Amino acid sequence: PWALDLNADGSLLFFTEYAGSNLKVVNLSATTKTLMNGAISVPAGQVVKVIGNGGGVTEGSYTSAKIQQPKGLSVYEDAGVLKGFFISSYNRDVVSFVNNTASTITIGDKDVESGNLRWVFGDRGYRYNGDSNPGKLTSLWDPLGLELVDNTLYVASYTNAMVRSLDVSVANGAVGTTINKELIYDFISSNNPNDIKLMTPTYLASH
């Protein structure tokens, strides 16, 4: 396991399995839970695979999409509804979203159909192209740690030495560079986020 995240009530523990290239869930409650509109049943106390179908990186249905060596993970829950999961993986240049709801969700100007995985943040380019594009056209370089706070997804961009952000509450949410906008490889601590400089950020956490 590489990354862990709980749903809001603490009944489901999700984790990415790096070597197995999949996302799994542990049901910590005393009753059976379901995911993907009832298609996946998770008995009490059991571990079940949610998505991951061997090596490679592909979009598509949760039954066929591939997430090679997944690293970052953040559960997306809003108003008691488990909307899905953000995942960063060995593809090194995109953040994927898996839609757990019955309706299409648009994130980063990318439509994610029910039960599907789509690349919503990152254009598969190893570079930095600023904050003016929608999520799907914004370049990331080695996105690793993920953290969702108040409908803003924060991404530790390892090789860019930045913390990037994406507003997931609207279809074409704003993209931002929260830390190290000047793309300077250094380590400078400060109380002002605009003055902080990073080298190879890997994990993120909030409280």
Side-chain angles (χ1 to χ4, degrees):
W2 188 285
L4 308 170
D5 203 7
L6 285 164
N7 68 333
D9 68 10
S11 62
L12 295 173
L13 174 63
F14 297 89
F15 63 94
T16 55
E17 192 173 57
Y18 181 82
S21 293
N22 57 52
L23 169 67
K24 290 184 176 179
V25 60
V26 184
N27 185 351
L28 303 177
S29 76
T31 59
T32 296
K33 302 287 186 178
T34 60
L35 299 168
M36 300 301 167
N37 303 302
I40 297 177
S41 180
V42 189
Q46 298 297 304
V47 179
V48 173
K49 184 180 77 172
V50 179
I51 191 169
N53 299 278
V57 182
T58 62
E59 297 180 293
S61 168
Y62 77 94
T63 60
S64 60
K66 298 180 179 181
I67 50 171
Q68 184 173 352
Q69 297 175 333
K71 294 182 177 179
L73 169 67
S74 191
V75 174
Y76 182 19
E77 193 162 359
D78 186 38
V81 177
L82 182 56
K83 291 191 171 184
F85 322 96
F86 292 98
I87 303 169
S88 63
S89 58
Y90 189 69
N91 55 342
R92 301 201 310 163
D93 47 22
V94 294
V95 174
S96 304
F97 179 69
V98 185
N99 185 353
N100 184 60
T101 73
S103 304
T104 295
I105 297 175
T106 305
I107 297 174
D109 203 30
K110 184 73 171 278
D111 290 337
V112 187
E113 308 89 338
S114 173
N116 275 255
L117 175 149
R118 299 292 178 198
W119 304 326
V120 297
F121 197 9
D123 68 351
R124 309 220 67 184
Y126 298 106
R127 59 184 181 273
Y128 174 72
N129 65 347
D131 297 333
S132 60
N133 296 305
K136 69 179 183 181
L137 298 178
T138 297
S139 296
L140 298 175
W141 200 338
D142 292 329
L144 295 182
L146 306 176
E147 186 71 10
L148 187 63
V149 182
D150 296 331
N151 288 320
T152 297
L153 179 69
Y154 294 94
V155 180
S157 186
Y158 181 87
T159 302
N160 277 145
M162 294 175 166
V163 174
R164 310 298 302 279
S165 63
L166 173 65
D167 180 358
V168 303
S169 66
V170 293
N172 188 8
V175 170
T177 301
T178 306
I179 297 177
N180 203 11
K181 294 182 179 182
E182 297 175 353
L183 190 56
I184 296 174
Y185 292 86
D186 201 347
F187 181 75
I188 300 175
S189 178
S190 172
N191 292 325
N192 184 347
N194 294 325
D195 295 332
I196 295 174
K197 302 296 180 285
L198 299 175
M199 295 184 70
T200 60
T202 304
Y203 301 103
L204 296 172
S206 63
H207 64 85

